[in-house]
Amino acid sequence: MERMPTQMGVANQITDSPKQISPKAKFRGAVGTLKHEGVHLSKPEQELLLAYCEGRISEEEYDRKALELALKG
């Protein structure tokens, strides 16, 4: 069975790229990959992912806030 990528997994793949990619390009790449896999982000989820891609929050903070959003439903 194939596993669906998580938001964080996709974000890490994009942000860990050896090339210099702009934060907006990282964000668009992550969102595009998620959409391709059938995952559509809410506005708060998009804002959180963008903050992570831009380096405004750490991975730990991203994980915590993403979990809070998921638990809120």
Side-chain angles (χ1 to χ4, degrees):
M1 178 192 292
E2 188 175 319
R3 288 185 59 193
M4 297 275 291
T6 64
Q7 292 174 25
M8 194 70 231
V10 172
N12 281 337
Q13 289 173 357
I14 301 297
T15 58
D16 290 343
S17 174
K19 298 178 187 176
Q20 292 292 25
I21 301 173
S22 74
K24 294 283 187 184
K26 292 175 188 177
F27 172 77
R28 286 190 308 270
V31 170
T33 300
L34 289 166
K35 282 184 180 179
H36 179 74
E37 295 294 332
V39 178
H40 299 277
L41 302 178
S42 66
K43 186 70 172 171
E45 291 170 331
Q46 288 180 22
E47 291 169 359
L48 181 60
L49 181 58
L50 181 58
Y52 174 71
C53 289
E54 290 178 339
R56 292 184 280 133
I57 61 173
S58 67
E59 183 175 342
E60 291 78 20
E61 188 174 359
Y62 176 90
D63 288 343
R64 183 178 50 77
K65 289 183 177 186
L67 179 61
E68 288 173 9
L69 283 173
L71 293 175
K72 282 183 183 178

